[in-house]
Amino acid sequence: MKILRYLFTSLAVVYLSTNANAQTIKWAEVEPGIWKASIGKPETYDLLKAAGAVPYHAGLVEMGKAAFPLPPADIDAKVVDGKTYLRFPLTRSEQLYGFGLNFQTVQQRGKILTLHVDTYDGRDNGSTHAPTPFYVSSAGYGVFINCARYITVYAGTGVRLDSKTPAVVQDRNTDDTWNAQPYSDAVEILVPAAGVELYLFGGPTMLDAVRRYNLLNGGGCLPPRWGLGFTQRVHRLTTAAGVAEEAKAFEDRGYPLDFIGLEPGWQSKSYPCTFEWDKTRFPNPQAFVQGMLAKHIRINLWTNPYISPESPIYKQIKPFTGSHTVWNGAVADISMPEARKIYFGEWEKGKIDIGVSGFKIDEADGNNFWLWPDVATFPSGHSAEQMRQTYGLLMQHNVTNSYHQLNRRTYGLVRASNGGGASFPFVIYNDYYDHRDFVTALINSGFAGVLWTPEVRESATAEEWVRRFQSNIFSPMAMINAWASGTKPWSFAEVADDVKQMALLRMQMMPYWYSEFAKYHFKGIPPFRAMNLEAGFGDGVISTNVDNSNLQENPYGKVTLQEVKDQYMAGENLLVAPMFTGEKSRMVILPHGKWFDFYTGKYVGDGEVITVTPGLATIPVFVKDGGIVPMMPALLHAPAAGEKVDLEIRYYGEKPGHYTLYDDDGETFEYEKGVYSFREISVVLDNGTIKGNISAPVAGKPNNFANISFRKMTE
Ligand code: GAL
């Protein structure tokens, strides 16, 4: 036995010593709490470069330093046959989160994912709209692989012969707990490139690591105030007159509306796209757009990127397009300055320059039957794979620049993004429609540095309509997408008023939403995020069991994981637990600390599981002890720049409360020059009486608040 062990050890030593590819990794602290290392020869084109990401240094400095989060010797990297092999250590109790916009689980340990920009088809396999190669560990650190390639992740599945913590070998014949997935002590990553740039983010908490990742991207996006109101996308062939009619119906019925989304029919032809207004449906685009703006309603235009031969730019841009078309439309190689000038010049001419406020950048994500194949070539020399992984980033980056040049903020939709894109003011959506999975995606979006909207399109019943609407109101974009259905908020008469009250609540909460997005930008804190990022919640794993009871059905006894993936944090103080069609009540897991009902202020529990029966009209929302929610009156449109609104500061529970209220002009990029303020709100109870204070408006800075009152919600 001894000789055997010796031989084995000596073999292991030979293996290690002859493996010339293993390299020592030099980590350099590039920002406080962020370390970077280059393995092999990293490619010149990567995610951060495609996104033009510039770290928000002030935010990272404010966060301060952190300890290097992993034993350096336990991180392994080598380049073998032109591919980069990476290994990060994983201890027995660690949970993993992230690896992109997944829809069905929040815990990622035990997954194998190939991170590939694609339209989501119902399976969590790494093919998704934002396959962000960033993960966070429950041990309080994050890892980002800055590479525009299809990266394969073995998130705690590989079991190495020389592991220092070998799995227990079990006899399946006699041991019912035999597990098809033995313990794995590593995250292993295969990058199909001869080198890569790695980033490591310190904690000590998971949220700290997520914040540092977002700040490395430049900070999260700060939408214009109007972006956080309500939006309706009209049927795809609606005319200018039809849009005006629809806007009037919202006004007459007292439903809020901030921007209207036009779908393919605004263009003379689509699939492929001409990018030209249809002269019959929109005879005078400038008058139309300006007329809507006069009614405080902005216009958002749908388009996919693919250029019709009948487009006015087709001839000029053709030399700068890929070898393959999509729906017979040319694909502009927008990684090239020549292509960008022509292409985005067209998006500006007669669109942005007549007052269009934003775009819905569609179908840059996937479905391999339609998008360019991996054998396509592009004049820039970037591969089809790299273009697939970055097209959404390039689109967002350039459209954002077009608005930045005009000092006008935009807020739109996009079907594809990736690592590096957190600062772009675009929200991801898709054609998938499972409501529960939509909520799980909202939870995961906070780990992926993107925004996601559980959009409402159509429903089979009034109950489904109102339940979908409620969770959508508590998301980055409150939107009905009626491009095919033509549904209106009031389409289901029996719940029309419930829907209206929810839409008005969205508007009332605008000061809260706006402040939470300001923390996304300046502090990197995702406004919508997993409970696992909330202190006092834990890892959210309810149960994992090996099921060897039915080998016919489950020949390998696949482990079933029960986890919390249907409740989330909306901003600093709110816990949202959506109801789903057919449910009369549901369980809600409350983190440690006292929690209170958002609508009544009543105490509901502390660090326990409660059951709620909310009725159809409301979605269960809870506020932490000392929680503050600043509200404005329920206006039908977001306040314009300089327009003052009254502010009601709602306070819940009994603990002293503190909240930072953000204020700026709500529409421009002047905040980048410091033209903004954070006003400090504090509340205490003095013998049961509320004593509230808010710091004075900052001289010379925008002040959008008139009469300010405090309201004690918990009696
Ligand atoms: C789809 C998109 C829909 C709608 C449609 C228009 O790709 O997901 O929301 O915009 O295109 O053709």
Side-chain angles (χ1 to χ4, degrees):
M1 192 52 187
K2 212 163 165 67
I3 180 72
L4 195 62
R5 187 175 297 135
Y6 170 74
L7 264 181
F8 173 70
T9 318
S10 63
L11 262 183
V13 168
V14 165
Y15 175 72
L16 272 178
S17 63
T18 52
N19 179 349
N21 299 307
Q23 72 169 69
T24 46
I25 303 171
K26 294 185 195 65
W27 292 97
E29 188 166 11
V30 290
E31 290 283 350
I34 302 179
W35 290 268
K36 175 181 162 185
S38 293
I39 309 299
K41 279 181 61 201
E43 296 180 296
T44 52
Y45 184 68
D46 59 38
L47 297 176
L48 292 177
K49 287 192 191 64
V54 177
Y56 183 57
H57 182 66
L60 287 160
V61 169
E62 193 196 327
M63 281 193 73
K65 311 255 316 151
F68 189 83
L70 286 173
D74 288 359
I75 304 170
D76 186 86
K78 46 180 167 282
V79 177
V80 182
D81 83 39
K83 295 184 180 68
T84 302
Y85 295 24
L86 304 170
R87 185 171 79 236
F88 293 89
L90 195 54
T91 59
R92 207 166 282 280
S93 59
E94 271 182 88
Q95 285 295 346
L96 300 174
Y97 305 89
F99 294 123
L101 191 66
N102 291 300
F103 283 69
Q104 288 172 3
T105 62
V106 176
Q107 316 283 334
Q108 301 306 324
R109 182 165 186 162
K111 297 292 251 334
I112 296 174
L113 303 163
T114 298
L115 304 179
H116 185 308
V117 168
D118 205 337
T119 193
Y120 182 73
D121 70 356
R123 290 171 301 154
D124 278 3
N125 55 16
S127 282
T128 183
H129 307 277
T132 312
F134 169 68
Y135 73 92
V136 189
S137 158
S138 56
Y141 64 86
V143 178
F144 173 52
I145 318 292
N146 178 28
C147 179
R149 294 284 174 179
Y150 305 144
I151 296 168
T152 300
V153 176
Y154 302 88
T157 56
V159 183
R160 288 185 326 285
L161 197 63
D162 67 349
S163 166
K164 285 185 268 180
T165 48
V168 175
V169 179
Q170 293 173 279
D171 169 22
R172 192 175 188 188
N173 296 336
T174 55
D175 183 344
D176 260 358
T177 66
W178 179 85
N179 181 348
Q181 189 57 57
Y183 166 68
S184 162
D185 66 355
V187 174
E188 294 173 299
I189 296 170
L190 178 64
V191 179
V196 73
E197 235 178 45
L198 304 178
Y199 289 84
L200 201 49
F201 302 89
T205 67
M206 280 207 288
L207 182 58
D208 291 333
V210 169
R211 290 182 56 192
R212 289 193 167 97
Y213 167 75
N214 285 329
L215 291 168
L216 178 79
N217 278 233
C221 73
L222 178 59
R225 265 200 185 91
W226 57 262
L228 299 176
F230 187 80
T231 181
Q232 172 87 12
R233 302 205 69 86
V234 296
H235 185 276
R236 62 194 183 91
L237 295 172
T238 308
T239 64
V243 173
E245 219 174 282
E246 193 143 342
K248 186 172 181 313
F250 271 77
E251 192 85 23
D252 294 349
R253 291 165 178 260
Y255 283 74
L257 183 63
D258 282 286
F259 60 108
I260 280 194
L262 307 189
E263 289 285 319
W266 76 269
Q267 296 191 36
S268 54
K269 290 190 179 175
S270 68
Y271 292 86
C273 293
T274 59
F275 308 113
E276 293 295 284
W277 293 88
D278 178 78
K279 293 191 176 16
T280 315
R281 291 187 284 269
F282 294 87
N284 185 340
Q286 173 135 7
F288 163 71
V289 172
Q290 289 298 318
M292 297 306 286
L293 282 173
K295 294 176 206 160
H296 311 291
I297 295 175
R298 289 166 171 80
I299 293 300
N300 173 290
L301 298 180
W302 169 96
T303 193
N304 70 32
Y306 312 115
I307 310 159
S308 163
E310 295 180 45
S311 163
I313 61 169
Y314 185 79
K315 281 196 185 54
Q316 195 188 4
I317 201 162
K318 196 160 179 243
F320 307 109
T321 61
S323 57
H324 288 59
T325 61
V326 180
W327 291 303
N328 300 313
V331 183
D333 183 341
I334 49 177
S335 68
M336 300 174 74
E338 304 89 328
R340 287 197 291 269
K341 192 167 177 324
I342 301 162
Y343 191 73
F344 295 104
E346 179 58 22
W347 287 40
E348 287 159 10
K349 185 164 75 64
K351 277 76 79 181
I352 297 176
D353 67 4
I354 65 168
V356 166
S357 298
F359 290 88
K360 171 174 172 179
I361 304 171
D362 202 8
E363 293 153 333
D365 50 349
N367 189 313
N368 294 323
F369 289 100
W370 302 327
L371 240 65
W372 59 89
D374 284 350
V375 294
T377 56
F378 287 83
S380 60
H382 295 136
S383 72
E385 173 188 11
Q386 290 171 313
M387 292 300 281
R388 179 78 170 262
Q389 295 294 81
T390 60
Y391 213 79
L393 290 174
L394 293 167
M395 273 286 175
Q396 294 174 83
H397 184 198
N398 286 286
V399 172
T400 305
N401 283 350
S402 294
Y403 279 99
H404 200 278
Q405 284 158 8
L406 298 169
N407 198 18
R408 269 163 52 194
R409 268 184 266 169
T410 182
Y411 194 50
L413 292 147
V414 71
R415 270 269 288 271
S417 191
N418 209 326
S423 70
F424 298 136
F426 290 86
V427 183
I428 299 176
Y429 66 96
N430 71 4
D431 294 332
Y432 186 65
Y433 205 43
D434 180 295
H435 188 192
R436 285 184 176 280
D437 290 357
F438 265 21
V439 171
T440 303
L442 187 53
I443 291 169
N444 283 323
S445 63
F447 288 118
V450 294
L451 299 171
W452 158 260
T453 176
E455 72 176 25
V456 189
R457 295 195 291 267
E458 67 280 315
S459 295
T461 63
E463 180 196 2
E464 183 191 354
W465 182 250
V466 75
R467 290 311 189 195
R468 285 183 178 275
F469 200 86
Q470 289 167 344
S471 52
N472 178 246
I473 290 296
F474 285 84
S475 83
M477 188 177 281
M479 169 173 78
I480 289 181
N481 177 9
W483 79 278
S485 62
T487 33
K488 310 285 184 289
W490 50 84
S491 289
F492 291 83
E494 59 269 51
V495 292
D497 192 57
D498 295 336
V499 164
K500 180 172 167 181
Q501 294 315 314
M502 270 288 140
L504 292 171
L505 177 61
R506 172 74 178 197
M507 301 306 283
Q508 284 180 277
M509 294 178 68
M510 191 168 284
Y512 179 74
W513 299 129
Y514 201 48
S515 299
E516 293 308 314
F517 269 92
K519 291 174 206 161
Y520 187 33
H521 176 69
F522 289 100
K523 296 174 179 295
I525 302 172
F528 299 92
R529 56 185 183 271
M531 296 306 306
N532 317 78
L533 294 175
E534 184 62 19
F537 181 75
D539 66 11
V541 175
I542 298 172
S543 71
T544 53
N545 50 35
V546 176
D547 177 6
N548 283 311
S549 61
N550 183 341
L551 297 184
Q552 196 61 37
E553 292 294 312
N554 189 359
Y556 291 97
K558 268 317 244 166
V559 173
T560 47
L561 169 78
Q562 218 199 326
E563 60 172 334
V564 176
K565 55 180 187 173
D566 62 357
Q567 61 178 82
Y568 57 94
M569 292 301 291
E572 180 179 342
N573 292 322
L574 300 183
L575 188 164
V576 180
M579 300 296 292
F580 299 95
T581 310
E583 281 185 336
K584 291 285 176 270
S585 59
R586 66 159 284 167
M587 289 201 302
V588 182
I589 299 178
L590 299 175
H592 291 293
K594 290 184 177 174
W595 291 82
F596 300 83
D597 182 287
F598 170 74
Y599 307 95
T600 65
K602 280 202 175 60
Y603 171 73
V604 294
D606 174 346
E608 60 191 293
V609 180
I610 61 171
T611 298
V612 293
T613 310
L616 200 51
T618 56
I619 176 174
V621 178
F622 304 98
V623 190
K624 61 176 65 166
D625 194 3
I628 286 171
V629 182
M631 311 267 280
M632 72 176 199
L635 305 178
L636 295 189
H637 311 290
E643 181 185 347
K644 287 186 185 296
V645 293
D646 290 346
L647 187 71
E648 178 191 78
I649 298 171
R650 292 190 180 181
Y651 162 75
Y652 291 79
E654 56 216 13
K655 256 173 57 171
H658 178 269
Y659 190 79
T660 305
L661 178 73
Y662 179 74
D663 198 6
D664 70 9
D665 67 27
E667 295 183 3
T668 74
F669 289 95
E670 293 306 303
Y671 69 87
E672 290 178 343
K673 300 174 200 145
V675 185
Y676 68 87
S677 64
F678 278 113
R679 296 179 63 180
E680 303 305 328
I681 297 174
S682 56
V683 181
V684 293
L685 286 182
D686 178 2
N687 283 327
T689 309
I690 186 167
K691 293 258 184 287
N693 182 53
I694 179 168
S695 57
V698 181
K701 303 285 172 76
N703 171 19
N704 285 282
F705 302 110
N707 308 308
I708 296 177
S709 61
F710 286 83
R711 183 175 167 193
K712 179 177 176 232
M713 295 300 291
T714 305
E715 288 313 331

